Amino acid sequence: MHWQTLLQKSITQPAQLFAHFGLDPGDLYRVTEIYPMRINPYYLSLIKQPGDPLWRQAVPDSLELDDTVCMEDPLNEEDLSPVANLVHKYPDRALFLIHNQCAVYCRFCTRKRKVGTKDMPVSLKTINAGLKYLQQTPEIKDVLVSGGDPLLIDDSSLDFILSRIRAIRHIDIIRIGTRVPCTLPMRVTKKLAATIKRYHPVYINTHFNHPNEITPEAATACNRLADAGIPLGSQTVLLKGVNDDPEIIKRLMYKLLRLRVKPYYLFQTDMTKGTNHFRTPIAKGLEIMQSLIGHVSGMAVPTFAVDAPGGGGKIPLLPNYIEKMGSQLVFQNYCGMTCTYDNPCH
Ligand SMILES: *Cc1c(COP(=O)(O)O)cnc(C)c1O
């Protein structure tokens, strides 16, 4: 089925979903009035039973309305936007939001306040304003095209935007942040891969959170992109009840490498209002990192990071391997064995 037809057949109302699984929708419509739901038939087909790790990512939960801890805009993106839908936080890179919809509305979305709602107007006008800002800001060398999901726009619009970005002399690399290889892999057509390929160097960071998302369809999508010379990364989010387990993350990271997707970040869940029930203690992430580092291929080890509330940026966190640092460094290896290294003092 064509990807646009699949999108149209998405489930958007709790009653439809529960008709599918034979459960009572209760008052979940109160959640979807605020935070939209969309589960396309492909992703729906991967949900095996209510409450499983894919269900939790896609199906609304009344806990979304009970969050009294988190914030609408934890990364302070609105204040860091010189023009609408463009976040300029780090000097040399900018985040450019070119679409307001996704193939699945992830319940833990960091832009839950606006993605899929009227509060995120994207138009030719906002896109042209973003392009103009990029043209006029020579310190920007790396543009992250995101959204919503930027690959849900049609091929010719994407071609237009990528060509305009590529025409800016000071921009070295383009990155696309997209979840479609995971949530709607049929979107990755040969034509799409050929379109993106014209604007190299382009990197794609996709987003897989559970081994059940690695399917033959996802493999085809990732292969197509990798064969077009596009380096692929994954920005996985650590989520309670989904993947907060060293064995699950290990399996996921290896499966990603087999698709030529390099694990890039493992994110601590942002403090986004409506997502508090997904947050895990920092110690859980550190435990997972300790179970990976040295024990699995270094290629399978992402950087565990917290995106600091208030717009402080991504801060990497590592388990502590250092016991003492003086004229001699005393540290532990991955098995807990004590090692030393003579520390030059000049
Ligand atoms: C995450 C992010 C980036 C990119 O950060 P990297 O560490 O380079 O991947 C850039 N801008 C914003 C606003 C971001 O949130």
Side-chain angles (χ1 to χ4, degrees), residues 75 77 80 87-90 92-95 111 142 144 175 205 235 264-265 267 307 313-314:
L75 308 181
E77 292 189 330
L80 292 166
V87 186
H88 192 186
K89 171 154 71 181
Y90 298 103
D92 69 337
R93 48 217 195 272
L95 174 64
R111 283 183 208 105
D142 175 1
L144 287 73
R175 288 196 249 177
N205 280 323
Q235 307 199 143
Y264 176 42
Y265 277 127
F267 284 124
D307 214 337
K314 297 173 182 75

Side-chain angles (χ1 to χ4, degrees), residues 326-338:
S327 59
Q328 212 179 36
L329 170 70
V330 184
F331 58 121
Q332 282 186 1
N333 80 351
Y334 69 104
C335 303
M337 186 175 110
T338 298

Side-chain angles (χ1 to χ4, degrees), residues 17-18 20-23 47-56 59:
L17 178 77
F18 289 89
H20 195 88
F21 288 97
L23 289 171
I47 297 176
K48 293 179 185 153
Q49 61 194 27
D52 81 8
L54 277 59
W55 169 285
R56 285 174 185 273
V59 177

Side-chain angles (χ1 to χ4, degrees), residues 68-94:
T68 55
V69 176
C70 300
M71 303 159 261
E72 292 282 328
D73 180 15
L75 308 181
N76 205 21
E77 292 189 330
E78 303 301 337
D79 289 340
L80 292 166
S81 297
V83 298
N85 300 324
L86 187 143
V87 186
H88 192 186
K89 171 154 71 181
Y90 298 103
D92 69 337
R93 48 217 195 272

